[in-house]
Amino acid sequence: MADAGPNGYGDWNGTGTGAGTGNRDGDRDGDEGGKGRRIELSEVPETLLWNLYMRAAEARRARTVLADPKAVELVDRIDYPFEETFGAPSPLLAQGHALRVRTFDTAVRAFLDEHPDGTVVTLAEGLETQYWRVDNGRARWLCVELPETAEVRRSLLPDEERRRTLARSALDLSWRDEVDPAHGVLITAQGLLMYLRPTEVKDLIAGCAERFRGGALVFDAVPRWFSARTLRGEMRTAQGYQAPPMPWGMDAGELPKVRTAHPAITDVREVPPPRGRGFYYGALAPVMRWVPAIRNLRPTMTAIARFS
């Protein structure tokens, strides 16, 4: 696997392993350890458990930046060695993850304010519980998941009348046929694009822009230095868990290049996260995005691309 290329986002011909190629060990029911659903995943799909673990850890805090009781409920229900695999939750890391999640929540709420009967399409959201945090009681939600993770999601978060899970790769653009664009469409790709090849990222963004005119895509990206470290296998916890390779990275200064994916993309801009607790998230992090010399040191950023 190789880096995303010397030209950053503009280099659509990079190589790497996409999110749809990881191996899965499946999942099964069990009652061990007083838990309910037993989950066994590997490689990229296993990251959905890390994300859930971080959200729940932050949600348990007395002065939390993210109220997410559904995430806490899921962690308590799932039979999985969270701490043995990922280590004890780092308060700094958990808060940073939660603030990124809140950035997505803000974008979805803004969309629902303008399009209360619209459709929110979540690509590879895993066990994200955004629906329970921001749903307005009217919108429709479509979660597009690989078959293995779709099974896990349906078992823990069963489909409802306005919310359903589609077992299909996000790269299989036939999922677009399942979406009614009449009342507006917002697509989210939280924690997805970095696991794809650069060409796959381009094709996915272009496919969204082509079909959903007037819609938008909210996504996050890791900087090129972070992507390179994962490709070298350097992102590992003390317990031995290694973050999967992230072939696609994009520095903050390269964000305008997203518009080259398709002529229908009219605007691309960063969505700033809210302020958090403490010196770093309360004072330093909000300033870092404005300082050219250090803006790319941030481990992640969230952006929105709007379509004409």
Side-chain angles (χ1 to χ4, degrees), residues 6 12 14 17 22 28 47 65 82 95 121 150 183 224 235 256 264 288:
W12 297 112
T17 299
R28 61 183 183 271
T47 63
V65 300
F82 286 100
Q95 184 184 179
V121 181
H183 300 289
R224 284 160 37 84
M235 304 298 285
M288 289 179 67

Side-chain angles (χ1 to χ4, degrees), residues 122-180:
T122 60
L123 302 179
E125 70 171 349
L127 291 178
E128 171 60 65
T129 47
Q130 184 178 68
Y131 171 84
W132 288 267
R133 296 191 303 268
V134 306
D135 178 57
N136 64 356
R138 295 168 55 180
R140 296 195 173 275
W141 295 70
L142 178 68
C143 173
V144 181
E145 289 287 342
L146 290 168
E148 296 84 353
T149 51
E151 181 181 353
V152 172
R153 183 173 175 86
R154 287 195 188 111
S155 69
L156 293 166
L157 302 170
D159 288 358
E160 302 174 8
E161 181 181 358
R162 293 184 297 104
R163 178 184 57 82
R164 68 186 180 99
T165 299
L166 178 67
R168 198 167 300 173
S169 168
L171 300 177
D172 178 356
L173 293 178
S174 65
W175 61 259
R176 300 177 302 176
D177 300 333
E178 305 288 330
V179 181
D180 180 1

Side-chain angles (χ1 to χ4, degrees), residues 52 55 67-75 77 129 132 156-157:
L52 175 66
R55 291 202 318 279
D68 197 344
K70 197 70 174 177
V72 174
E73 174 194 325
L74 287 177
V75 168
R77 285 173 54 196
T129 47
W132 288 267
L156 293 166
L157 302 170

Side-chain angles (χ1 to χ4, degrees), residues 20-56:
T21 62
N23 295 324
R24 284 86 178 170
D25 297 326
D27 58 272
R28 61 183 183 271
D29 291 319
D31 297 313
E32 301 174 13
K35 293 280 190 173
R37 181 74 177 182
R38 183 169 182 176
I39 304 296
E40 294 181 0
L41 296 167
S42 64
E43 299 187 12
V44 175
E46 193 170 23
T47 63
L48 69 87
L49 294 168
W50 184 91
N51 293 334
L52 175 66
Y53 185 46
M54 290 297 106
R55 291 202 318 279

